[in-house]
Amino acid sequence: VSLYMVIVAVGLYFIFNYLIYLCRSLYRIYKIRSEVSKSVTGLLRENEVNLTLANNVISLLGWGAYLVTSMLLLKIPTSSLSMVTAGLAAGLGFAMKDILNNFFYGVQLMGGRMRVGDTIECDGIRGTVDNINYQTTTLKAIDGSLIAFPNTTLFSKTFKNLTKSDSYEYVAMPVGVAYGTDMDKARKVSKGDEDE
């Protein structure tokens, strides 16, 4: 390995660092503009835009490209790295299992099991579906709070979609009558069989 190639690899480090920073900044501008256009008021809270996943993916892809470029530039033999690569692939597969499950369950949820605006109940929490994405489903609870369920939770636990088929919620209300009331007449009235 020549000194010139090492200097080029170090120079590429700074170039890739700048390119990753540039990509993350461009994505941030795009995401903020799209969220502002969706907002009714045209304003966003400071923590309303989540860029964590996108920043991590951009960094991973950028540094991966730098690693491959440096290995090719410095002519590092790849045969010795095959065992390490296999181990990393297996570890990455186990680490990505939950993310992939959430992704596929999110696709199934968006495919028709529920819609934005449905009222559902899961884990004793009742609310209106506010958002469905590839990782989580967000409910707006009765008290106004937003609760995010991972999509795997909705598949692993039983949830009730209360408004899926009829767009209204059925609520059973027990009705009592006074002691001594004629029960046959009360049943007829409750069914609407008797004229008022």
Side-chain angles (χ1 to χ4, degrees):
V1 177
S2 67
L3 181 62
Y4 173 73
M5 290 299 177
V6 172
I7 292 172
V8 170
V10 170
L12 282 175
Y13 169 81
F14 292 107
I15 292 171
F16 272 89
N17 195 19
Y18 174 74
L19 288 174
I20 290 168
Y21 176 78
L22 179 66
C23 290
R24 288 167 71 168
S25 298
L26 290 175
Y27 180 78
R28 182 176 187 273
I29 291 168
Y30 163 76
K31 188 69 173 173
I32 289 174
R33 284 187 180 170
S34 67
E35 291 296 324
V36 166
S37 67
K38 291 178 191 175
S39 173
V40 176
T41 61
L43 301 172
L44 291 176
R45 291 188 309 270
E46 185 177 344
N47 63 347
E48 197 165 345
V49 179
N50 185 2
L51 301 169
T52 307
L53 179 63
N55 287 341
N56 288 336
V57 169
I58 291 169
S59 295
L60 185 67
L61 292 175
W63 291 119
Y66 169 72
L67 183 66
V68 170
T69 305
S70 297
M71 287 174 61
L72 292 174
L73 186 68
L74 298 173
K75 297 179 181 162
I76 297 173
T78 55
S79 60
S80 62
L81 297 175
S82 61
M83 294 289 284
V84 174
T85 306
L88 286 175
L92 188 61
F94 283 119
M96 295 284 288
K97 181 179 74 86
D98 290 337
I99 294 171
L100 291 174
N101 281 345
N102 278 326
F103 175 79
F104 288 118
Y105 291 150
V107 170
Q108 289 182 5
L109 287 172
M110 287 185 261
R113 289 192 70 177
M114 71 173 65
R115 319 174 285 256
V116 172
D118 282 348
T119 301
I120 69 166
E121 184 174 335
C122 181
D123 276 349
I125 298 170
R126 178 183 293 215
T128 305
V129 177
D130 186 61
N131 185 22
I132 304 171
N133 63 36
Y134 293 106
Q135 294 299 313
T136 60
T137 298
T138 308
L139 296 183
K140 186 168 187 178
I142 295 171
D143 62 359
S145 62
L146 290 175
I147 302 162
F149 285 99
N151 293 331
T152 53
T153 302
L154 292 176
F155 272 80
S156 63
K157 299 183 179 180
T158 303
F159 75 92
K160 291 195 286 187
N161 191 336
L162 303 169
T163 56
K164 167 77 172 153
S165 57
D166 298 319
S167 73
Y168 60 87
E169 182 179 349
Y170 174 76
V171 178
M173 293 178 53
V175 177
V177 293
Y179 288 109
T181 304
D182 182 7
M183 294 306 292
D184 291 332
K185 184 175 182 182
R187 285 190 187 99
K188 286 179 183 177
V189 169
S190 70
K191 291 180 182 177
D193 292 341
E194 189 168 274
D195 297 327
E196 294 184 10

